[in-house]
Structures are given as C-alpha cells and as structure tokens.
Amino acid sequence: MTKKLSNTSILSQLIRRDMRVAMRQRSEFLNPIIFLLVVITLFPLAVGPGADTLSRIAPGVIWVSALLSAMLGLERMFRDDFRDGALEHMMLLPCPIELSVLGKIIVHWLVTAVPLLLISPLLALLLNLSMQALPVLILTLLLGTPVLSAVGAIGVALTVSLNRGGALLSLLLLPLLIPLLIFATAAVEAASMGLSAGGPLAFMAAFLVLALGLSPLAVKAALQVSVN
Amino acid sequence: MWRWLHPYAKPEATYRLNRKLLPWFAIPGIILMIVGMVWGLVFAPADYQQGDSYRIIFIHVPSAMWAMGFYVGMAIAALIAVVWQIRTAEWAIMAIAPVGAVLTFISLFTGAIWGQPMWGTWWIWDARLTSQLILLFLYLGVMALYVAFEDQRTGAKAAGILAMVGVINIPIIHYSVYWWNTLHQTSTITQMVTRLEAPAMPPEMLWPLLTCVFAFLLSCSALIIMRLNNEILQREVRRPWAIEILKGGK
Amino acid sequence: MRGERTLFTDFSLKVSAGAMYQIEGPNGAGKSTLLRIVAGLLAPQAGDIRYKGELSQHVRRAFLRDLLFIGHKAAVKPELTALENLQFFAATQGVPCSEPPFALLAKVGLVGLEDVPAGNLSAGQQRRIALARLWVTNSQLWVLDEPFTSLDVAGIDMLHQRFAEHLQAGGAIVLTSHQALDWASASLVRIQLEYNW
C-alpha cells in the first residue's frame, strides 16, 4: 500500500491540485488580462490614434501594461494558501521547499502567462505593431513572463502575511523588474525596425535561468519568515 | 574567525564596541568634511569648461558612491542576520537603510542642480541618474517592507531578504540601464558629460574629491554607529546593563 | 526528540513511542508556538529539535515523512471537494488511493458530501476532512493543534478511537487540547505551560 514518495510525484501532485484550484476560480486570473486590455485601450485614447505614434510606443506600452497587470494577479500565488494553511502544509511536505516553490511558480506561470500569450497578437494589432515584430514580442513574453512569476514569487512571499500588501508589492517588485522591461522592449523595437533582436533576447534568456535558479531560494527564506 | 567574532554579536558587546569605535569615525569624519569642503568649494581651481558649477561634484560624487556602497553594506548585514540569526545585524539593516536612502537622495538632488547649468534642464534620463533613482526605489522598498510588519523581527528579516535580492539585482540593473542609455542616446549632451568626468582629473581637483569621499564614508559610518546604538538601547531597555548605562550615562 | 527551550521557559520534552503528550496552558502560553517549533515551522530561539538523535533539520526528509502536522488552519482548500482534498493529502503522505476513498469518507462521516466544495461545508465538516489525514498516513509522530475544535460528540469519539489505535501501534501524539483525555491515562503525559512574560 505504501509507495515511496519521490520529489517528482509530490511536485506533480502539487501542480495538479493548484491547477484544479485555479480552474475553479477562473475569474481571479482572467481579470488581470481584461485589465491589460483596458489599459492598452487607454493609450490610443490618450496619445491619439496615429498609426506611427502607436507603433512606435507599442513595445513599451505592451510590456509596461503586462507588468502592471501581473502585479494585480501575483498576490494570489501564496495568499489563499497562507490563509487556509496550505502554505504550512506545503512547507512540511517531505521534499525540498524550493521544489514546491518551483511548482507554485510553474502553476502561476501557466494560469497567467498562457492567456497573455494568447491575446498578444490582439495587443499587437490594436497598437499597430508591425507584423514582423510579433514573433519577437511573443518570444519576449515567453522568456519574460517566467521571470515575472519567479521574481514576483519573492515579493509575494515577503508580503503574504501582511493584510495590505498590494501597493507595497509593486513598490518592491517593479524596480527589480526594470532590466526585464529594458531588454524586452529593446528586442521588440529592434525587430519592428527590421534589426536582429538576438542580443536582448539572449540577455532575457540569461535572466530566465538566473531567476528560476535563485528565486526559489529567496522565496523559501521569505516564506520561513512569513509563516511566523 | 567566527568564534572570535561571535561574542561581539551580543547587543551589549556591540554597544560597548560601538562606543569605543565612534570617536574614531566621528572625529576624522568631521575634520575631513571641513577640510574637503573648504578645499573643494573654495580653493580648488575652477573648471575650464564649466566654471564653478562643477564644484557640486564634491558632494555629488561621494554621496553617489556611498549610496551604492551602503546598500552593499546593508545586504551584508542582512546576510549575517538571516544566516546566523543575529539580532544586532537585523538592527544594523535598519540603521543603514535611511542613511543610504538620504545619500541617494542627495546624489539625485545635486545631480539635478548640476544638470540645470550643464544641460539646461533639471532632469535628463542619464544612465547614472537613472540607476541612482532606481537605487532610491530599492532603498524605499526595503524601508517600506520593514515598517509594514507589526513584529519588528519579522520586518527586519523580510527587509533583509529583500536587500539581498536587491544587491544581486543592482549590477544587473546598473548595466542594463547603461545599455539602455547607449541604445537611446540621441542627444550629444550626455556624451559630453561622460567625457568630461571620466578622463584624468587634475590632481588639484582629485585630492579634495578624495578627501570628500573619505569624509562622507567616515561621517556616515559614525551616523550609522550612533543609530545602531540608539536602536540597541531602545530594544534592550529592560535589560540590567542598558538600565545601568541609561542611569549612569556611562 | 526534545526541544530544549521555548521562548518562554526552559523546556525539555522527550517524545517516545506509544505515548500521548497533551500540552495544556492558558491562552497565549505558547502551546501552538511549541507545536510549530516541534514541526520545524518555527526556529527555536535557542535549543534544538532532535529526531532519533539527529537534528531534525539535518534529517529533514526522514523527519517530515514521519511527521503529520495539523495546525489551526487545516490546509483544506475551500475550492476543492472533500474527495479531492483527501486524495491530495493521501498522495502527498505516501499512501495514495487508487480509487476514490469512499470508505474513508464514510469513516469520517462525510458520505454524500463528496462533491461539495469544502468551502461550502461547515467548520466541523472541514475539520473532519483535515482529520481524515490521520487514516491515510504511515507517520509515527502526530502533532495536532486543537484537533477537537468544532467537532461534534461523534467526531470526538471517532478521533479518540483513532488515537487509541495509533498509540497501540506504537505511534506518538503531541497535541494541544482542553479536552479531558482520561481514557488514555496509561499512556498520557500532561504538560502544563504557564503564562510567562
């Protein structure tokens, strides 16, 4: 009856449960996406619908809006678990906490980034981004959103025990995410001007490796402080 | 070495050590500050291009340097606090943070003042200024996180973790901002500035500048030591040794 | 295993097989804190927790495999049904259920409620879901914070029976409760914590 518990089986159980929980409260992670769409709509209204202006600011607008909308949805990564005790349970699973944290990051990425990737062509269309830049935009989102989830997890883990973490979370995280913003927009800009975007994309890949490698350590330390 | 250092981690020992160290930082700090400021602001020659307005570097450069330096110092204190659970190191984080934040603010403020005669505008998105601005945000984040917790130990630990994450990020932010700046460099003004500062500075400007750099380091360290001692006394106010000190003024 | 000191007092406890330790004390005496220190959720200010002679954080994996901790907040996800919660607990405790554990549901008195999200159940019923973990575990050491909270008489009875079985099988229980546990007086150790400043 007893089966030896391996790390991977615990990880897959965690991911499966969290995905199921996420699917039961779809609106929670769809709302940030709708927010993103609304913010994108505001820009043509504010700066004028000129096709040239829009396509020039498109990479920046899309990425800034993506960052802001991510801030809205991040909190739910650990907040509910903290309230109902699942976080403590997770920390007492017989597997490294870093691994469970990685599971949390993966689930968060799946439920937030995948919808974002799906609507990214629409965003490009709305802001008149040239079609040659679209693949690069998607690539930057593909490389950048896991960094967002991983670095975001640190901020959420630090603020999860606070009742009013929202604005604080953005204050902590946005400065840390500036390099991501710089390279992502540079890549899309280069691509829309017909230049190679390889350099900035390589940097983003490096960030991805760094963030996924180091952030679980920081999240673990932060959670141990927070479950106090 | 650890065994040797460990006795100093006790609040009382730290307090007494700080008491002994304070004059060694404060007195040379004040003297150097006076010497450096007078030397730099009065006696150093004027710049052939910028005239007297360049003299603000005697404040701007040291504050910018140590703004970054104290962040690293804060992260080291955080590492000690988180890894070895030493309470005095937790207090040190909060002793350093506001000093560093004020230095960052001074460097931004003087940078803006300097910018007015140089570039004709109070603010330009120069790489140096931009990364200082982000540094200020990092400081504010650490301080905001600390005060957000009701329990000060939790707050200090959380702020410490954030400081460590920040210190890993600082070089990345720094270089990406420089890279971003070269990418968007349309005005020649910024190029001019970097050209001006980088090359060999004549010794009659360099020496007062170095004096100011050390003066800032020593006097800010003295401030931090004083802040840390205040914090220790406040936290340990119920302990016999602290009561004795507070009563006897010893 | 022993904790040498809590935040409040010098404290040492050796937990041995087949015994139940009831920690009592007024509110705020540090009962929950003590349990969380034992489980490793909190680091003690000084002193250590040893498991079979080793520091528990050094043999973390083996220790956690042998530990079942149910805290104040029971880790029951309100979005999931009783069945889904149970399956997750069973799987992560190394006793996966190959089929839906209806027998277990029946045992803890949740039949007919298996498809209702746990959030819609009463506090006592949610407690039962959490406590059902006690039936799908091989852990020797149970650390339970107020396990009887919001249970009805039948539930308390059921729990007593399960405790007796566990002690019989050589397990150990550390719990906080204001319930009288006289039936187990042979193996019961009562520990009184005082409210210290």
Side-chain angles (χ1 to χ4, degrees):
Chain A
M1 170 160 160
T2 319
K3 211 178 73 181
K4 260 253 165 201
L5 266 176
S6 68
N7 282 342
T8 41
S9 76
I10 293 182
L11 182 63
S12 81
Q13 284 292 336
L14 257 182
I15 291 178
R16 225 177 299 165
R17 182 196 62 173
D18 283 352
M19 281 306 285
R20 204 174 269 165
V21 171
M23 287 306 139
R24 299 268 158 90
Q25 28 173 251
R26 253 159 288 181
S27 66
E28 278 243 23
F29 61 87
L30 285 180
N31 284 345
I33 290 292
I34 298 168
F35 170 80
L36 172 62
L37 267 176
V38 174
V39 171
I40 296 277
T41 316
L42 295 181
F43 276 91
L45 296 173
V47 301
D52 285 347
T53 326
L54 285 184
S55 60
R56 202 163 47 78
I57 63 169
V61 167
I62 292 176
W63 257 96
V64 169
S65 316
L67 278 185
L68 293 181
S69 77
M71 292 301 121
L72 293 181
L74 262 179
E75 235 191 340
R76 63 169 301 280
M77 198 180 328
F78 294 123
R79 187 196 54 204
D80 292 348
D81 284 2
F82 178 76
R83 287 196 187 144
D84 60 28
L87 196 60
E88 287 172 7
H89 181 252
M90 181 187 100
M91 295 180 69
L92 293 177
L93 287 174
C95 76
I97 296 176
E98 292 90 340
L99 196 73
S100 322
V101 167
L102 202 61
K104 284 275 168 199
I105 294 172
I106 291 171
V107 171
H108 180 262
W109 183 79
L110 284 176
V111 299
T112 57
V114 171
L116 177 60
L117 285 168
L118 287 179
I119 66 156
S120 59
L122 179 63
L123 303 182
L125 195 75
L126 286 174
L127 291 176
N128 195 35
L129 189 73
S130 68
M131 275 305 128
Q132 57 192 3
L134 181 59
V136 175
L137 174 68
I138 293 177
L139 213 54
T140 58
L141 289 173
L142 208 55
L143 288 171
T145 45
V147 179
L148 211 59
S149 299
V151 177
I154 302 175
V156 181
L158 284 172
T159 55
V160 69
S161 61
L162 299 170
N163 291 324
R164 56 228 180 288
L168 183 62
L169 185 64
S170 311
L171 170 62
L172 305 188
L173 287 178
L174 289 175
L176 297 177
L177 292 168
I178 285 170
L180 188 66
L181 180 72
I182 289 176
F183 285 103
T185 50
V188 182
E189 246 164 44
S192 63
M193 289 189 288
L195 303 170
S196 155
L201 284 176
F203 271 105
M204 292 188 74
F207 292 160
L208 176 61
V209 174
L210 197 68
L212 284 183
L214 292 184
S215 96
L217 299 174
V219 174
K220 176 188 168 188
L223 287 180
Q224 281 168 339
V225 171
S226 284
V227 294
N228 253 327
Chain B
M1 189 179 91
W2 183 241
R3 188 159 298 173
W4 180 77
L5 275 177
H6 203 264
Y8 290 103
K10 287 209 181 85
E12 185 183 354
T14 315
Y15 180 85
R16 295 198 188 282
L17 180 70
N18 280 350
R19 264 293 175 82
K20 268 184 220 142
L21 286 179
L22 185 59
W24 295 95
F25 284 91
I27 296 168
I30 293 169
I31 294 172
L32 280 183
M33 188 67 94
I34 295 169
V35 171
M37 284 296 149
V38 173
W39 192 358
L41 297 182
V42 182
F43 293 109
D47 187 73
Y48 75 102
Q49 262 182 331
Q50 301 178 40
D52 278 333
S53 67
Y54 92 97
R55 289 184 197 275
I56 205 161
I57 64 165
F58 294 113
I59 299 171
H60 177 75
V61 172
S63 57
M65 261 178 79
W66 296 120
M68 200 73 92
F70 280 128
Y71 197 95
V72 176
M74 183 172 74
I76 293 170
L79 185 74
I80 295 170
V82 171
V83 174
W84 287 290
Q85 309 276 334
I86 291 178
R87 285 192 305 161
T88 41
E90 287 169 16
W91 301 331
I93 300 171
M94 273 309 116
I96 298 174
V99 176
V102 168
L103 280 180
T104 320
F105 180 76
I106 291 175
S107 78
L108 281 170
F109 190 72
T110 50
I113 294 177
W114 193 14
Q116 174 57 23
M118 288 272 298
W119 309 315
T121 166
W122 294 104
W123 181 263
I124 77 167
W125 290 97
D126 157 70
R128 210 177 308 254
L129 285 178
T130 311
S131 57
Q132 284 290 317
L133 183 63
I134 298 170
L135 184 66
L136 181 64
F137 293 152
L138 291 178
Y139 270 119
L140 292 180
V142 170
M143 281 151 61
L145 188 62
Y146 175 75
V147 297
F149 287 89
E150 269 150 38
D151 176 43
Q152 267 149 337
R153 289 212 71 182
T154 317
K157 277 183 201 152
I161 292 169
L162 185 69
M164 283 192 283
V165 172
V167 89
I168 294 174
N169 237 285
I170 279 181
I172 300 175
I173 294 174
H174 194 69
Y175 286 108
S176 48
V177 166
Y178 272 77
W179 183 83
W180 157 83
N181 203 241
T182 53
L183 192 72
H184 292 272
Q185 204 156 66
T186 43
S187 64
T188 49
I189 310 167
T190 29
Q191 286 166 346
M192 196 179 81
V193 178
T194 23
R195 196 153 32 84
L196 253 179
E197 271 179 30
M201 192 180 247
E204 52 273 31
M205 288 182 191
L206 188 64
W207 282 110
L209 182 61
L210 285 179
T211 312
C212 287
V213 166
F214 276 104
F216 268 70
L217 174 62
L218 291 173
S219 46
C220 289
S221 302
L223 273 181
I224 289 167
I225 290 174
M226 274 150 60
R227 283 181 56 82
L228 180 58
N229 265 4
N230 274 343
E231 190 73 25
I232 292 175
L233 277 188
Q234 267 178 20
R235 294 270 174 271
E236 304 270 299
V237 75
R238 291 214 186 90
R239 301 286 166 94
W241 72 265
I243 293 171
E244 194 181 307
I245 283 171
L246 289 171
K247 271 189 188 150
K250 182 172 63 140
Chain C
M1 184 192 56
R2 66 173 192 279
E4 266 168 3
R5 224 188 96 195
T6 70
L7 272 161
F8 311 93
T9 41
D10 283 310
F11 183 82
S12 167
L13 173 65
K14 190 169 159 50
V15 175
S16 39
M20 176 151 71
Y21 301 82
Q22 180 178 20
I23 298 169
E24 293 168 302
N27 296 338
K31 301 186 295 282
S32 297
T33 309
L34 178 61
L35 290 196
R36 291 162 69 81
I37 288 175
V38 169
L41 281 171
L42 282 180
Q45 189 86 14
D48 47 24
I49 312 294
R50 287 175 183 273
Y51 167 72
K52 293 183 180 165
E54 307 262 1
L55 279 180
S56 70
Q57 65 260 41
H58 289 178
V59 286
R60 182 170 181 275
R61 234 189 133 97
F63 173 65
L64 289 182
R65 243 189 226 141
D66 223 3
L67 168 83
L68 194 148
F69 174 83
I70 301 181
H72 253 308
K73 299 178 280 183
V76 175
K77 294 304 290 181
E79 294 86 1
L80 301 182
T81 66
L83 214 53
E84 287 165 335
N85 269 308
L86 263 185
Q87 278 170 328
F88 171 73
F89 286 138
T92 52
Q93 283 169 195
V95 193
C97 347
S98 42
E99 61 218 46
F102 286 114
L104 179 55
L105 275 178
K107 216 175 261 173
V108 295
L110 289 169
V111 170
L113 298 169
E114 59 268 14
D115 286 332
V116 184
N120 296 351
L121 298 177
S122 76
Q125 286 165 326
Q126 291 191 29
R127 199 78 208 164
R128 281 164 184 254
I129 299 177
L131 290 170
R133 290 174 63 188
L134 301 177
W135 276 266
V136 283
T137 177
N138 300 312
S139 302
Q140 291 294 301
L141 173 63
W142 294 357
V143 177
L144 311 172
D145 197 352
E146 301 285 353
F148 300 105
T149 316
S150 55
L151 285 185
D152 54 17
V153 180
I156 292 173
D157 220 40
M158 166 190 93
L159 210 52
H160 282 315
Q161 276 174 29
R162 182 62 189 136
F163 284 176
E165 278 172 44
H166 184 60
L167 295 175
Q168 203 82 66
I173 303 174
V174 180
L175 57 81
T176 62
S177 179
H178 300 292
Q179 278 273 328
L181 296 167
D182 300 331
W183 57 270
S185 53
S187 49
L188 181 68
V189 182
R190 293 172 65 165
I191 297 154
Q192 191 73 36
L193 286 188
E194 276 161 29
Y195 191 90
N196 282 351
W197 255 98

